[in-house]
Amino acid sequence: MASQSALVITEVGKPLSRSTRAIPKPKQNEVLVKVLVTGRDLVFGQSNIVGGSDCGGVQQYVILDADLVAQVPSNVSADQESTVSGNLIAPLVSLFSVGGLGILFPGIPGSESFDYKSQTLVVIGGGADTGKLGVQLAHLVGIGRIIAIASLSSEEQLRSFGASHVLDRHLPNAELKARMADIVPEAEGGVVYIFDVANANHTLAVSLLSSTRKGVVAGLQPDQGVDESSIGEKKAGYEVKFTSGNCAAVKEPLGKMFWKSLPGWIEAGKIKPLDFKVIEGGLNAVEVNRVLDEYRDGRNPGRWHVHPNGDFGGP
């Protein structure tokens, strides 16, 4: 059986190490893809994080769901495309799935009568990659008011992505609430959709929700609770939902519509690639472990790419 190089975990709590493993064989409705940048070649897709070792990106070949892949547009590199597809599933699920905010994705039954322009979306952590792509997705579907809470160093870029307002994440919570009330008065219904990229404790997010209409917070971290004494009155209640970037959550019909449309969005500049850095040396266990250690220690090393087949070569 043919083999490939891969970075593997041999023991929980220990660093990754370089090893070899068999090249997997695709089953029905699966495709085998040569990995250039965490699973992207002339096609790209989202690996299934619960699909087992054959779906992991730090190896030379990977199995992808045939319904959840697409062709890389000719006007971007594999690295540029990877900054999009590697991050876009999480905001897609958070904004448009039933398990998230439940906003109707264009083309889904009922979306033809949904008034996107009158909606407001708040993105907490707008400066993160998933936050930036959440802003782009919201702008793409026509949401009229997109408020990003982020470092002001990201303001220019976020506005270019479609944010109508950018609030400084360093402001005290009380001032953020006051600014939000000025932008979205309670008399207009207040805020009902919040995508919280940054926090596990969603007290701030819930406090920004409408006091008269039921609001929803979709977060990328498991909910660690809400301080009810700090959120104000919520007459209609609220929901906090934990979402993830697992492609299994966007199968039918959202997933197929999304993957069919994504190459055209990127090619037309409607979804823009983000910044990235490349780890030298392909499957370089030392450098990959260094980046993982920075995440572990609470530092933000930025987005790093691994080229498992070297400089887009390999067997």
mmCIF file of all heavy atoms in Angstrom, residues 274-307:
data_model
loop_
_atom_site.group_PDB
_atom_site.id
_atom_site.type_symbol
_atom_site.label_atom_id
_atom_site.label_comp_id
_atom_site.label_asym_id
_atom_site.label_seq_id
_atom_site.Cartn_x
_atom_site.Cartn_y
_atom_site.Cartn_z
ATOM 1 N N LEU A 274 -7.400 36.705 3.260
ATOM 2 C CA LEU A 274 -6.826 37.358 4.427
ATOM 3 C C LEU A 274 -5.306 37.171 4.439
ATOM 4 O O LEU A 274 -4.745 36.544 3.551
ATOM 5 C CB LEU A 274 -7.463 36.779 5.697
ATOM 6 C CG LEU A 274 -8.996 36.829 5.752
ATOM 7 C CD1 LEU A 274 -9.503 36.145 7.015
ATOM 8 C CD2 LEU A 274 -9.515 38.257 5.670
ATOM 9 N N ASP A 275 -4.663 37.713 5.453
ATOM 10 C CA ASP A 275 -3.203 37.611 5.560
ATOM 11 C C ASP A 275 -2.786 36.223 6.050
ATOM 12 O O ASP A 275 -3.545 35.542 6.751
ATOM 13 C CB ASP A 275 -2.683 38.669 6.535
ATOM 14 C CG ASP A 275 -2.973 40.088 6.054
ATOM 15 O OD1 ASP A 275 -3.025 40.297 4.827
ATOM 16 O OD2 ASP A 275 -3.137 40.973 6.911
ATOM 17 N N PHE A 276 -1.581 35.819 5.705
ATOM 18 C CA PHE A 276 -1.072 34.509 6.141
ATOM 19 C C PHE A 276 0.452 34.516 6.114
ATOM 20 O O PHE A 276 1.088 35.387 5.504
ATOM 21 C CB PHE A 276 -1.591 33.387 5.239
ATOM 22 C CG PHE A 276 -1.084 33.476 3.811
ATOM 23 C CD1 PHE A 276 0.085 32.826 3.424
ATOM 24 C CD2 PHE A 276 -1.773 34.224 2.868
ATOM 25 C CE1 PHE A 276 0.553 32.923 2.124
ATOM 26 C CE2 PHE A 276 -1.299 34.333 1.561
ATOM 27 C CZ PHE A 276 -0.145 33.673 1.188
ATOM 28 N N LYS A 277 1.042 33.537 6.788
ATOM 29 C CA LYS A 277 2.476 33.268 6.735
ATOM 30 C C LYS A 277 2.656 31.772 6.494
ATOM 31 O O LYS A 277 1.785 30.980 6.855
ATOM 32 C CB LYS A 277 3.149 33.684 8.045
ATOM 33 C CG LYS A 277 3.126 35.188 8.296
ATOM 34 C CD LYS A 277 3.665 35.552 9.672
ATOM 35 C CE LYS A 277 2.620 35.364 10.745
ATOM 36 N NZ LYS A 277 3.024 35.904 12.065
ATOM 37 N N VAL A 278 3.781 31.392 5.899
ATOM 38 C CA VAL A 278 4.028 29.992 5.547
ATOM 39 C C VAL A 278 5.179 29.445 6.384
ATOM 40 O O VAL A 278 6.238 30.073 6.499
ATOM 41 C CB VAL A 278 4.364 29.844 4.046
ATOM 42 C CG1 VAL A 278 4.685 28.383 3.715
ATOM 43 C CG2 VAL A 278 3.203 30.340 3.190
ATOM 44 N N ILE A 279 4.970 28.272 6.972
ATOM 45 C CA ILE A 279 6.033 27.567 7.692
ATOM 46 C C ILE A 279 6.980 26.950 6.675
ATOM 47 O O ILE A 279 6.539 26.211 5.783
ATOM 48 C CB ILE A 279 5.443 26.486 8.614
ATOM 49 C CG1 ILE A 279 4.749 27.156 9.811
ATOM 50 C CG2 ILE A 279 6.511 25.509 9.083
ATOM 51 C CD1 ILE A 279 4.055 26.190 10.749
ATOM 52 N N GLU A 280 8.243 27.298 6.782
ATOM 53 C CA GLU A 280 9.232 26.778 5.839
ATOM 54 C C GLU A 280 9.505 25.294 6.120
ATOM 55 O O GLU A 280 9.476 24.837 7.261
ATOM 56 C CB GLU A 280 10.536 27.568 5.953
ATOM 57 C CG GLU A 280 10.409 29.055 5.622
ATOM 58 C CD GLU A 280 10.028 29.312 4.179
ATOM 59 O OE1 GLU A 280 10.404 28.466 3.321
ATOM 60 O OE2 GLU A 280 9.361 30.322 3.903
ATOM 61 N N GLY A 281 9.758 24.557 5.039
ATOM 62 C CA GLY A 281 10.180 23.170 5.199
ATOM 63 C C GLY A 281 9.060 22.157 5.166
ATOM 64 O O GLY A 281 9.242 21.018 5.624
ATOM 65 N N GLY A 282 7.895 22.532 4.625
ATOM 66 C CA GLY A 282 6.808 21.560 4.501
ATOM 67 C C GLY A 282 6.331 21.045 5.846
ATOM 68 O O GLY A 282 5.982 21.816 6.735
ATOM 69 N N LEU A 283 6.337 19.718 5.997
ATOM 70 C CA LEU A 283 5.875 19.095 7.247
ATOM 71 C C LEU A 283 6.985 19.198 8.301
ATOM 72 O O LEU A 283 7.601 18.213 8.702
ATOM 73 C CB LEU A 283 5.477 17.641 6.998
ATOM 74 C CG LEU A 283 4.214 17.454 6.140
ATOM 75 C CD1 LEU A 283 4.047 15.991 5.753
ATOM 76 C CD2 LEU A 283 2.980 17.958 6.872
ATOM 77 N N ASN A 284 7.213 20.422 8.720
ATOM 78 C CA ASN A 284 8.286 20.755 9.655
ATOM 79 C C ASN A 284 7.735 20.675 11.080
ATOM 80 O O ASN A 284 7.120 21.622 11.576
ATOM 81 C CB ASN A 284 8.807 22.152 9.341
ATOM 82 C CG ASN A 284 10.003 22.556 10.186
ATOM 83 O OD1 ASN A 284 10.183 22.076 11.308
ATOM 84 N ND2 ASN A 284 10.813 23.467 9.654
ATOM 85 N N ALA A 285 7.949 19.549 11.746
ATOM 86 C CA ALA A 285 7.353 19.325 13.062
ATOM 87 C C ALA A 285 7.822 20.364 14.080
ATOM 88 O O ALA A 285 7.035 20.812 14.927
ATOM 89 C CB ALA A 285 7.684 17.916 13.556
ATOM 90 N N VAL A 286 9.085 20.766 14.013
ATOM 91 C CA VAL A 286 9.623 21.730 14.984
ATOM 92 C C VAL A 286 8.886 23.059 14.885
ATOM 93 O O VAL A 286 8.442 23.626 15.895
ATOM 94 C CB VAL A 286 11.142 21.936 14.762
ATOM 95 C CG1 VAL A 286 11.660 23.073 15.651
ATOM 96 C CG2 VAL A 286 11.901 20.647 15.055
ATOM 97 N N GLU A 287 8.724 23.552 13.659
ATOM 98 C CA GLU A 287 8.073 24.853 13.479
ATOM 99 C C GLU A 287 6.570 24.777 13.745
ATOM 100 O O GLU A 287 5.978 25.708 14.304
ATOM 101 C CB GLU A 287 8.340 25.388 12.067
ATOM 102 C CG GLU A 287 9.743 25.933 11.878
ATOM 103 C CD GLU A 287 10.017 27.079 12.851
ATOM 104 O OE1 GLU A 287 9.324 28.094 12.787
ATOM 105 O OE2 GLU A 287 10.926 26.920 13.696
ATOM 106 N N VAL A 288 5.926 23.686 13.341
ATOM 107 C CA VAL A 288 4.491 23.536 13.627
ATOM 108 C C VAL A 288 4.257 23.495 15.132
ATOM 109 O O VAL A 288 3.340 24.140 15.651
ATOM 110 C CB VAL A 288 3.925 22.272 12.945
ATOM 111 C CG1 VAL A 288 2.498 22.003 13.419
ATOM 112 C CG2 VAL A 288 3.948 22.429 11.424
ATOM 113 N N ASN A 289 5.095 22.775 15.861
ATOM 114 C CA ASN A 289 4.965 22.717 17.319
ATOM 115 C C ASN A 289 5.199 24.092 17.955
ATOM 116 O O ASN A 289 4.554 24.450 18.940
ATOM 117 C CB ASN A 289 5.934 21.694 17.903
ATOM 118 C CG ASN A 289 5.452 20.266 17.709
ATOM 119 O OD1 ASN A 289 4.280 19.960 17.912
ATOM 120 N ND2 ASN A 289 6.355 19.384 17.304
ATOM 121 N N ARG A 290 6.125 24.866 17.380
ATOM 122 C CA ARG A 290 6.373 26.214 17.904
ATOM 123 C C ARG A 290 5.112 27.082 17.802
ATOM 124 O O ARG A 290 4.745 27.780 18.753
ATOM 125 C CB ARG A 290 7.523 26.876 17.140
ATOM 126 C CG ARG A 290 7.810 28.319 17.590
ATOM 127 C CD ARG A 290 8.838 28.995 16.686
ATOM 128 N NE ARG A 290 8.400 29.108 15.313
ATOM 129 C CZ ARG A 290 7.534 30.038 14.888
ATOM 130 N NH1 ARG A 290 6.999 30.904 15.744
ATOM 131 N NH2 ARG A 290 7.188 30.084 13.623
ATOM 132 N N VAL A 291 4.455 27.019 16.654
ATOM 133 C CA VAL A 291 3.233 27.808 16.466
ATOM 134 C C VAL A 291 2.133 27.319 17.408
ATOM 135 O O VAL A 291 1.430 28.124 18.034
ATOM 136 C CB VAL A 291 2.775 27.746 14.996
ATOM 137 C CG1 VAL A 291 1.410 28.415 14.832
ATOM 138 C CG2 VAL A 291 3.801 28.418 14.087
ATOM 139 N N LEU A 292 1.982 26.002 17.525
ATOM 140 C CA LEU A 292 0.969 25.457 18.432
ATOM 141 C C LEU A 292 1.245 25.860 19.877
ATOM 142 O O LEU A 292 0.314 26.151 20.640
ATOM 143 C CB LEU A 292 0.934 23.929 18.312
ATOM 144 C CG LEU A 292 0.418 23.367 16.986
ATOM 145 C CD1 LEU A 292 0.551 21.850 16.975
ATOM 146 C CD2 LEU A 292 -1.014 23.773 16.728
ATOM 147 N N ASP A 293 2.513 25.919 20.264
ATOM 148 C CA ASP A 293 2.861 26.333 21.622
ATOM 149 C C ASP A 293 2.475 27.789 21.872
ATOM 150 O O ASP A 293 2.075 28.152 22.986
ATOM 151 C CB ASP A 293 4.362 26.149 21.870
ATOM 152 C CG ASP A 293 4.758 24.682 22.018
ATOM 153 O OD1 ASP A 293 3.849 23.846 22.171
ATOM 154 O OD2 ASP A 293 5.969 24.387 21.964
ATOM 155 N N GLU A 294 2.586 28.621 20.840
ATOM 156 C CA GLU A 294 2.199 30.026 21.000
ATOM 157 C C GLU A 294 0.697 30.139 21.250
ATOM 158 O O GLU A 294 0.251 30.937 22.088
ATOM 159 C CB GLU A 294 2.608 30.834 19.770
ATOM 160 C CG GLU A 294 4.111 31.017 19.653
ATOM 161 C CD GLU A 294 4.494 32.067 18.627
ATOM 162 O OE1 GLU A 294 3.704 32.997 18.387
ATOM 163 O OE2 GLU A 294 5.594 31.952 18.053
ATOM 164 N N TYR A 295 -0.087 29.343 20.536
ATOM 165 C CA TYR A 295 -1.531 29.320 20.811
ATOM 166 C C TYR A 295 -1.798 28.822 22.231
ATOM 167 O O TYR A 295 -2.611 29.388 22.961
ATOM 168 C CB TYR A 295 -2.248 28.412 19.804
ATOM 169 C CG TYR A 295 -2.484 29.040 18.460
ATOM 170 C CD1 TYR A 295 -1.845 28.547 17.321
ATOM 171 C CD2 TYR A 295 -3.361 30.109 18.309
ATOM 172 C CE1 TYR A 295 -2.067 29.118 16.070
ATOM 173 C CE2 TYR A 295 -3.597 30.686 17.063
ATOM 174 C CZ TYR A 295 -2.936 30.184 15.952
ATOM 175 O OH TYR A 295 -3.154 30.747 14.739
ATOM 176 N N ARG A 296 -1.112 27.756 22.620
ATOM 177 C CA ARG A 296 -1.293 27.191 23.959
ATOM 178 C C ARG A 296 -1.008 28.217 25.038
ATOM 179 O O ARG A 296 -1.713 28.277 26.061
ATOM 180 C CB ARG A 296 -0.356 25.993 24.126
ATOM 181 C CG ARG A 296 -0.398 25.328 25.501
ATOM 182 C CD ARG A 296 0.860 24.516 25.742
ATOM 183 N NE ARG A 296 2.051 25.368 25.744
ATOM 184 C CZ ARG A 296 3.288 24.913 25.632
ATOM 185 N NH1 ARG A 296 3.506 23.613 25.500
ATOM 186 N NH2 ARG A 296 4.322 25.749 25.643
ATOM 187 N N ASP A 297 -0.002 29.050 24.811
ATOM 188 C CA ASP A 297 0.432 30.005 25.820
ATOM 189 C C ASP A 297 -0.332 31.324 25.770
ATOM 190 O O ASP A 297 0.023 32.285 26.460
ATOM 191 C CB ASP A 297 1.935 30.275 25.670
ATOM 192 C CG ASP A 297 2.771 29.018 25.928
ATOM 193 O OD1 ASP A 297 2.269 28.108 26.612
ATOM 194 O OD2 ASP A 297 3.915 28.963 25.434
ATOM 195 N N GLY A 298 -1.373 31.371 24.947
ATOM 196 C CA GLY A 298 -2.229 32.552 24.918
ATOM 197 C C GLY A 298 -1.747 33.662 24.014
ATOM 198 O O GLY A 298 -2.301 34.769 24.033
ATOM 199 N N ARG A 299 -0.707 33.399 23.233
ATOM 200 C CA ARG A 299 -0.254 34.396 22.270
ATOM 201 C C ARG A 299 -0.933 34.133 20.928
ATOM 202 O O ARG A 299 -1.359 33.026 20.633
ATOM 203 C CB ARG A 299 1.269 34.330 22.110
ATOM 204 C CG ARG A 299 2.022 34.585 23.420
ATOM 205 C CD ARG A 299 3.521 34.751 23.158
ATOM 206 N NE ARG A 299 4.137 33.545 22.659
ATOM 207 C CZ ARG A 299 4.628 32.585 23.440
ATOM 208 N NH1 ARG A 299 4.540 32.686 24.761
ATOM 209 N NH2 ARG A 299 5.202 31.506 22.917
ATOM 210 N N ASN A 300 -1.049 35.182 20.122
ATOM 211 C CA ASN A 300 -1.677 35.029 18.812
ATOM 212 C C ASN A 300 -0.600 35.103 17.736
ATOM 213 O O ASN A 300 -0.159 36.192 17.368
ATOM 214 C CB ASN A 300 -2.718 36.122 18.578
ATOM 215 C CG ASN A 300 -3.413 35.962 17.229
ATOM 216 O OD1 ASN A 300 -3.185 34.993 16.508
ATOM 217 N ND2 ASN A 300 -4.253 36.922 16.883
ATOM 218 N N PRO A 301 -0.147 33.957 17.236
ATOM 219 C CA PRO A 301 0.937 33.967 16.252
ATOM 220 C C PRO A 301 0.493 34.345 14.849
ATOM 221 O O PRO A 301 1.308 34.419 13.925
ATOM 222 C CB PRO A 301 1.431 32.522 16.286
ATOM 223 C CG PRO A 301 0.218 31.725 16.627
ATOM 224 C CD PRO A 301 -0.593 32.593 17.567
ATOM 225 N N GLY A 302 -0.797 34.589 14.651
ATOM 226 C CA GLY A 302 -1.309 34.841 13.312
ATOM 227 C C GLY A 302 -1.640 33.545 12.603
ATOM 228 O O GLY A 302 -1.583 32.458 13.171
ATOM 229 N N ARG A 303 -1.999 33.667 11.341
ATOM 230 C CA ARG A 303 -2.384 32.480 10.565
ATOM 231 C C ARG A 303 -1.158 31.937 9.835
ATOM 232 O O ARG A 303 -0.543 32.629 9.020
ATOM 233 C CB ARG A 303 -3.490 32.821 9.568
ATOM 234 C CG ARG A 303 -3.906 31.622 8.705
ATOM 235 C CD ARG A 303 -5.072 31.917 7.800
ATOM 236 N NE ARG A 303 -5.357 30.777 6.957
ATOM 237 C CZ ARG A 303 -6.071 29.709 7.332
ATOM 238 N NH1 ARG A 303 -6.583 29.668 8.541
ATOM 239 N NH2 ARG A 303 -6.287 28.706 6.505
ATOM 240 N N TRP A 304 -0.817 30.685 10.127
ATOM 241 C CA TRP A 304 0.309 30.016 9.491
ATOM 242 C C TRP A 304 -0.188 28.880 8.610
ATOM 243 O O TRP A 304 -1.104 28.157 8.982
ATOM 244 C CB TRP A 304 1.264 29.452 10.552
ATOM 245 C CG TRP A 304 2.072 30.497 11.242
ATOM 246 C CD1 TRP A 304 1.732 31.223 12.340
ATOM 247 C CD2 TRP A 304 3.382 30.941 10.868
ATOM 248 N NE1 TRP A 304 2.731 32.086 12.681
ATOM 249 C CE2 TRP A 304 3.768 31.931 11.792
ATOM 250 C CE3 TRP A 304 4.264 30.583 9.845
ATOM 251 C CZ2 TRP A 304 4.996 32.584 11.729
ATOM 252 C CZ3 TRP A 304 5.495 31.223 9.776
ATOM 253 C CH2 TRP A 304 5.850 32.215 10.709
ATOM 254 N N HIS A 305 0.429 28.733 7.465
ATOM 255 C CA HIS A 305 0.107 27.643 6.548
ATOM 256 C C HIS A 305 1.235 26.621 6.500
ATOM 257 O O HIS A 305 2.410 26.968 6.608
ATOM 258 C CB HIS A 305 -0.123 28.175 5.128
ATOM 259 C CG HIS A 305 -1.391 28.939 4.979
ATOM 260 N ND1 HIS A 305 -1.742 29.581 3.812
ATOM 261 C CD2 HIS A 305 -2.398 29.169 5.854
ATOM 262 C CE1 HIS A 305 -2.919 30.169 3.972
ATOM 263 N NE2 HIS A 305 -3.327 29.934 5.197
ATOM 264 N N VAL A 306 0.855 25.366 6.321
ATOM 265 C CA VAL A 306 1.805 24.282 6.105
ATOM 266 C C VAL A 306 1.620 23.764 4.679
ATOM 267 O O VAL A 306 0.488 23.583 4.226
ATOM 268 C CB VAL A 306 1.569 23.136 7.109
ATOM 269 C CG1 VAL A 306 2.507 21.968 6.821
ATOM 270 C CG2 VAL A 306 1.759 23.627 8.538
ATOM 271 N N HIS A 307 2.713 23.546 3.980
ATOM 272 C CA HIS A 307 2.681 22.955 2.645
ATOM 273 C C HIS A 307 3.168 21.509 2.754
ATOM 274 O O HIS A 307 4.372 21.249 2.663
ATOM 275 C CB HIS A 307 3.572 23.738 1.671
ATOM 276 C CG HIS A 307 3.102 25.126 1.392
ATOM 277 N ND1 HIS A 307 3.872 26.052 0.694
ATOM 278 C CD2 HIS A 307 1.954 25.773 1.713
ATOM 279 C CE1 HIS A 307 3.204 27.180 0.596
ATOM 280 N NE2 HIS A 307 2.039 27.042 1.210
#
